[in-house]
């Protein structure tokens, strides 16, 4: 094997379609995707061999801090096999369920995948989910068993799991240690021999799929494209099929993983292009790119990402609103799965209502705002999108439909106006050692889950499928599952539509006045526990006043939980000496009447810090 030395401006014409392989690495969290990508980059000469090569493709600060891949990254590898030069386009993908949208987008630009499985942990929930994403996309799948150097590694057991679960012969599995580089060369050989080249139409005009994008402050949008026909070079006039806008290409190139400009990109190749797109809304993920005056049939694109969790976002200081708006627009270009709509609050001011794919997605997005744009924000507690079937003809006319979606709890309609409420459901997959079976089943029962299937994937590991209300798993289910299984259980979920539920809107009252920002939607069975917990957190967070404050949770006019913040009390008897009982009683009565009057006319001002404290604790619950 020989290494290919990169030139200043690379000529991509020597790579015919039959010598191109486009593939992704997919796996469960922490099974060694990024480490394998590092070794592949070293073997093909894209980066020098060095001990410091750890997570080379994970460029974001949040990825390095958390040790997880958040954003799919592309790299073009040059590999010589049996005297022929091959162009291998690699996409490293995230492993957490919250970023499965990144995986599905990446697979659209590929013809095959490396399915990496840990030789110690075996098949996990996200392994199963990612396999079916690749299977449904009709991609060739090469199973790779990683971490065979570990003391407790059992590759034979994992091979049997793969054969039983995925119907892939054990002989097709490649055993490697990405950390030590053991047998990694064989992975490249198998990619060349077992994966098909891209399918393109000979002589067809330029047609490309825009499958990812990033934003550069100076060059604007940098679009990642997979070419399905024709060629593109600097100076070409291109059109985005969705928006219909025309641009002139400023630069084309490949990622190795650093940007390397090229003369042209040809059919079957994966690369990047810049065309002076300055508006963040112009580069729609999944759009089809073609040349001006050469329109083509648009590619299928992607299903739009479906937000599973919603939260309000507000600037800590309203003077930062415009800066935060710009940061939000740029970051949502890099992460198109986030939905954004305007929102406002009497206590927190103007802001946005954001939709995320899960709680980790929400936390990572918040962290990226702080690290990349130095933005401080207040995030409200996460909620899920409920639906209501309206019974009032007046409301049906107002909304224009009988079934409405509610993403903001304060807009939850009254029961008298509704036929039924619907809550989102998910089909959850849990894979765990069987010794934790009873604990996991107990946890699922407390979350109103319904068991759908149960299967032993080998002698000691089980796979269970449960139908969950999304609201029951979105905040702390994953943490509890990991705690009671000593970290061995894994969890993945997929959307399962909506189901009728007995939901209630719970208001939080301070001295009888409702606080809009703390309105919560809960299942009637769990309303008391949720209300009690919020009241206790507010009691600890709100400063004491000179009068008593009643913190209450109520459903309609019925109070279901209450906490009291005791008032400061001046010692009015300090100057009294002796046994003048009458005077003492008079002073105490006067003090009590004054406090009663203060309570009547005194408004409780909830400091912003108290809001942040309560909302943060709801996130960390």
């Amino acid at each position: 094997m020989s290494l290919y030395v990169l030139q200043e401006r690379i000529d991509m014409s020597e790579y015919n379609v039959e010598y191109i392989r486009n593939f992704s690495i997919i796996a469960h969290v922490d099974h060694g995707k990024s480490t394998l990508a590092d070794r592949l980059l070293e073997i093909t000469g894209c980066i020098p061999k060095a001990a410091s090569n750890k997570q080379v493709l994970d460029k974001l600060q949040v990825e390095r801090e958390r040790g997880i891949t958040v954003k799919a990254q592309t790299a073009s590898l040059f590999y010589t096999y049996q005297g022929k030069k091959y162009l291998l386009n690699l996409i490293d993908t995230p492993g957490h369920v919250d970023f499965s949208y990144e995986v599905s987008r990446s697979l659209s630009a590929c013809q095959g995948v490396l399915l990496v499985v840990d030789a110690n942990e075996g098949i996990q929930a996200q392994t199963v989910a990612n396999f079916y994403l690749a299977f449904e996309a009709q991609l060739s799948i090469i199973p790779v068993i990683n971490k065979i150097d570990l003391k407790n590694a059992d590759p034979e057991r994992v091979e049997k799991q793969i054969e039983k679960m995925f119907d892939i012969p054990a002989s097709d599995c490649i055993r490697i240690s990405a950390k030590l580089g053991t047998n990694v060369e064989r992975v490249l050989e198998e990619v060349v021999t077992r994966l098909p080249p891209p399918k393109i139409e000979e002589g067809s005009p330029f047609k490309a799929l825009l499958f990812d994008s990033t934003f550069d402050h100076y060059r604007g949008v940098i679009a990642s494209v997979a070419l399905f026909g024709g060629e593109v070079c600097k100076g070409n006039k291109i059109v985005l099929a969705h928006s219909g806008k025309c641009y002139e290409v400023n630069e084309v190139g490949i990622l190795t993983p650093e940007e390397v400009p090229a003369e042209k990109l040809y059919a079957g190749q994966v690369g990047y292009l810049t065309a002076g797109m300055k508006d963040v809304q112009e580069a729609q993920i999944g759009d089809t790119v073609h040349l001006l005056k050469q329109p083509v049939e648009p590619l299928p694109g992607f299903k739009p990402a479906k937000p599973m969790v919603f939260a309000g976002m507000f600037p800590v200081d309203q003077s930062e609103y415009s800066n935060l708006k710009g940061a939000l627009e740029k970051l949502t270009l890099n992460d198109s799965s986030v939905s954004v709509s305007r929102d406002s609050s009497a206590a927190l001011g103007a802001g946005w209502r954001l939709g995320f794919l899960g709680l980790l997605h929400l936390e990572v997005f918040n962290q990226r705002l702080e690290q990349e744009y130095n933005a401080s924000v207040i995030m409200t507690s996460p909620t899920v999108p409920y639906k209501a079937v309206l019974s009032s003809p007046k409301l049906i006319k107002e909304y224009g439909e009988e079934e409405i979606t509610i993403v903001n709890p304060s807009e939850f309609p009254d029961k008298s106006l509704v036929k039924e409420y619907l809550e989102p459901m998910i089909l959850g997959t849990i894979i765990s050692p069987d010794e934790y079976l009873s604990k996991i089943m107990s946890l699922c029962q407390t979350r109103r889950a319904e068991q759908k299937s149960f299967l032993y994937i080998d002698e000691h590991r089980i796979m269970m499928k449960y139908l969950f209300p999304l609201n029951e798993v979105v905040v702390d289910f994953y943490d509890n599952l990991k705690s009671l299984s000593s970290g061995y259980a894994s969890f993945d979920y997929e959307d399962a539509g909506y189901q009728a539920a007995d939901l209630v809107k719970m208001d939080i009252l301070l001295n009888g006045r409702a606080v809009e920002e703390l309105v919560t939607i809960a299942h009637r069975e769990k309303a008391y526990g949720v209300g009690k917990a919020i009241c206790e957190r507010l009691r600890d967070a709100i400063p004491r006043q000179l009068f008593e404050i009643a913190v209450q949770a109520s459903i309609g006019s019925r109070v279901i939980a209450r906490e009291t913040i005791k008032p400061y009390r001046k010692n009015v008897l300090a100057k009294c000496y002796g046994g003048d009982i009458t005077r003492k009683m008079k002073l105490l009565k006067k003090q009590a009447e004054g406090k009663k009057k203060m309570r009547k006319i005194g408004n409780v001002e909830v400091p912003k810090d108290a809001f942040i404290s309560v909302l943060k604790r709801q996130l960390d619950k």
Side-chain angles (χ1 to χ4, degrees):
M1 194 212 71
S2 65
L3 299 180
Y4 186 91
V5 181
L6 297 177
Q7 299 155 6
E8 189 66 33
R9 188 176 282 276
I10 198 164
D11 180 13
M12 301 296 292
S13 62
E14 61 182 290
Y15 294 97
N16 199 352
V17 175
E18 61 189 278
Y19 298 115
I20 297 173
R21 302 290 185 271
N22 300 325
F23 68 100
S24 277
I25 304 178
I26 58 174
H28 187 77
V29 180
D30 202 31
H31 278 204
K33 295 182 303 299
S34 297
T35 309
L36 174 58
D38 293 343
R39 298 294 85 76
L40 296 178
L41 288 167
E42 287 177 356
I43 289 172
T44 53
C46 290
I47 57 173
K49 291 185 180 181
S52 59
N53 287 340
K54 291 179 181 176
Q55 294 176 275
V56 173
L57 291 178
D58 291 347
K59 297 174 183 176
L60 300 176
Q61 186 181 341
V62 65
E63 292 179 315
R64 294 187 170 275
E65 286 178 2
R66 289 176 177 258
I68 59 172
T69 303
V70 167
K71 183 111 177 105
Q73 295 291 349
T74 307
S76 294
L77 319 177
F78 300 94
Y79 181 66
T80 303
Y81 178 67
Q82 294 183 348
K84 295 172 183 172
K85 288 179 182 176
Y86 286 85
L87 171 64
L88 312 179
N89 293 308
L90 153 72
I91 304 178
D92 183 24
T93 63
H96 196 279
V97 59
D98 282 14
F99 303 103
S100 56
Y101 185 64
E102 287 279 328
V103 179
S104 63
R105 289 212 322 259
S106 304
L107 297 185
S108 65
C110 300
Q111 285 75 50
V113 296
L114 299 178
L115 180 68
V116 180
V117 186
D118 190 314
N120 184 26
E121 293 184 4
I123 287 176
Q124 299 291 307
Q126 195 64 22
T127 316
V128 177
N130 284 338
F131 168 81
Y132 283 110
L133 280 175
F135 185 74
E136 286 165 13
Q138 299 181 335
L139 304 182
S140 301
I141 299 168
I142 301 174
V144 177
I145 299 173
N146 190 20
K147 304 189 183 182
I148 59 170
D149 57 305
L150 293 179
K151 185 180 177 182
N152 297 322
D154 189 353
E156 289 85 5
R157 175 176 62 87
V158 178
E159 283 175 352
K160 287 176 185 173
Q161 288 180 3
I162 290 171
E163 197 159 19
K164 182 176 180 180
M165 293 289 294
F166 305 142
D167 201 24
I168 298 175
S171 57
D172 286 0
C173 300
I174 308 171
R175 298 183 186 184
I176 68 162
S177 167
K179 184 178 179 182
L180 302 179
T182 310
N183 212 24
V184 175
E185 181 94 32
R186 192 188 155 201
V187 174
L188 286 170
E189 293 170 2
E190 295 292 324
V191 165
V192 168
T193 55
R194 284 165 63 178
L195 298 187
K199 291 178 183 175
I200 62 158
E201 298 171 22
E202 286 293 330
S204 61
F206 169 63
K207 177 164 73 171
L209 176 71
L210 198 161
F211 68 91
D212 202 0
S213 61
T214 54
F215 188 83
D216 184 276
H217 290 286
Y218 302 104
R219 294 185 294 166
V221 176
I222 302 170
S224 297
V225 291
L227 276 69
F228 287 87
E231 57 189 52
V232 66
C233 63
K234 182 179 177 180
N236 282 159
K237 293 277 198 318
I238 59 168
V239 176
L240 294 177
H242 176 74
S243 65
K245 291 190 176 179
C246 179
Y247 305 93
E248 183 176 328
V249 177
N250 296 329
E251 181 179 300
V252 297
I254 58 169
L255 298 161
T256 66
E258 301 305 318
E259 290 178 9
V260 177
E263 296 289 343
K264 283 184 180 180
L265 289 178
Y266 296 87
Q269 297 175 1
V270 174
Y272 73 89
L273 63 83
T274 63
M277 298 178 215
K278 296 296 182 185
D279 185 349
V280 292
Q281 300 301 321
E282 292 174 24
Q284 291 283 334
I285 301 297
D287 207 346
T288 302
V289 188
H290 62 83
L291 293 176
L292 183 66
K293 297 181 181 176
Q294 291 186 28
V296 295
E297 185 72 28
L299 293 160
F302 313 112
K303 282 189 230 171
K306 185 176 180 182
M308 305 292 270
V309 179
F310 288 83
M313 175 184 280
F314 300 88
V316 173
D317 188 337
Q318 281 295 308
S319 62
E320 293 293 313
Y321 180 85
S322 56
N323 292 340
L324 182 57
K325 183 183 177 187
L328 202 57
E329 286 177 345
K330 293 182 178 80
L331 193 51
T332 48
L333 173 73
N334 291 347
D335 188 353
S336 61
S337 55
V338 178
S339 68
V340 184
S341 59
R342 294 284 294 275
D343 197 6
S344 63
S345 154
L348 303 173
W352 299 267
R353 193 106 193 139
L354 305 181
F356 301 94
L357 302 179
L359 206 64
L360 178 65
H361 187 202
L362 184 156
E363 290 173 10
V364 165
F365 188 87
N366 194 5
Q367 197 172 336
R368 286 186 68 187
L369 266 180
E370 290 178 9
Q371 291 174 348
E372 297 174 31
Y373 297 95
N374 199 26
S376 296
V377 298
I378 300 168
M379 297 291 288
T380 66
S381 57
T383 61
V384 300
Y386 295 100
K387 287 188 177 181
V389 181
L390 303 173
S391 61
S392 162
K394 185 180 176 183
L395 276 177
I396 293 171
K397 189 177 179 182
E398 185 182 326
Y399 286 103
E401 54 188 348
E402 189 180 3
E403 192 176 277
I404 60 167
T405 302
I406 306 138
V407 296
N408 192 335
S410 61
E411 297 169 0
F412 198 70
D414 189 75
K415 180 69 179 168
S416 61
L417 305 171
V418 169
K419 285 181 190 173
E420 63 176 353
Y421 296 117
L422 306 172
E423 67 178 339
M425 306 297 289
I426 56 165
L427 185 64
T429 303
I430 300 170
I431 294 180
S432 166
D434 57 5
E435 64 194 272
Y436 304 108
L437 174 61
S438 61
K439 290 181 180 177
I440 291 172
M441 291 182 81
S442 299
L443 174 65
C444 293
Q445 283 172 357
T446 62
R447 301 307 178 102
R448 301 190 286 125
E450 178 188 334
Q451 192 178 83
K452 290 295 182 184
S453 68
F454 181 96
L455 173 74
Y456 268 89
I457 60 174
D458 63 19
E459 293 84 359
H460 304 292
R461 296 181 71 78
I462 51 172
M463 182 171 80
M464 296 179 284
K465 286 187 182 287
Y466 276 90
L467 190 66
F468 286 95
L470 177 58
N471 192 39
E472 295 289 344
V473 300
V474 77
V475 176
D476 60 347
F477 177 81
Y478 189 70
D479 293 339
N480 289 346
L481 179 67
K482 284 288 184 186
S483 298
L484 59 84
S485 66
S486 304
Y488 287 110
S490 62
F491 180 67
D492 177 73
Y493 61 81
E494 59 187 89
D495 183 27
Y498 280 77
Q499 193 168 291
D502 187 9
L503 303 173
V504 291
K505 176 183 176 182
M506 186 167 61
D507 291 303
I508 303 299
L509 312 176
L510 296 180
N511 276 353
R513 295 188 180 185
V515 183
E516 184 187 322
E517 291 71 30
L518 297 176
V519 173
T520 305
I521 300 171
H523 194 273
R524 194 177 293 277
E525 286 177 10
K526 300 211 165 186
Y528 171 74
V530 174
K532 184 75 174 166
I534 293 176
C535 288
E536 286 173 355
R537 286 196 287 271
L538 279 172
R539 180 198 61 198
D540 297 336
I542 295 175
R544 289 171 70 189
Q545 309 287 327
L546 290 171
F547 51 91
E548 184 181 281
I549 302 172
V551 182
Q552 298 167 310
S554 74
I555 299 171
S557 58
R558 186 166 66 92
V559 174
I560 60 167
R562 171 180 171 137
E563 292 292 328
T564 303
I565 300 172
K566 297 292 183 188
Y568 285 119
R569 187 168 183 270
K570 183 181 177 183
N571 185 4
V572 293
L573 306 180
K575 295 181 181 178
C576 293
Y577 297 96
D580 190 350
I581 301 294
T582 309
R583 185 161 182 246
K584 285 181 180 178
M585 293 301 291
K586 190 177 177 181
L587 287 168
L588 288 170
K589 188 179 177 184
K590 189 176 179 183
Q591 183 186 42
E593 285 173 356
K595 287 194 178 292
K596 194 174 179 182
K597 187 179 178 186
M598 285 176 75
R599 190 177 171 192
K600 273 184 183 174
I601 63 173
N603 289 328
V604 182
E605 190 172 312
V606 184
K608 207 168 265 188
D609 292 345
F611 266 114
I612 296 169
S613 168
V614 173
L615 298 172
K616 264 191 178 175
R617 286 190 207 175
Q618 279 185 280
L619 277 174
D620 301 336
K621 190 176 72 169

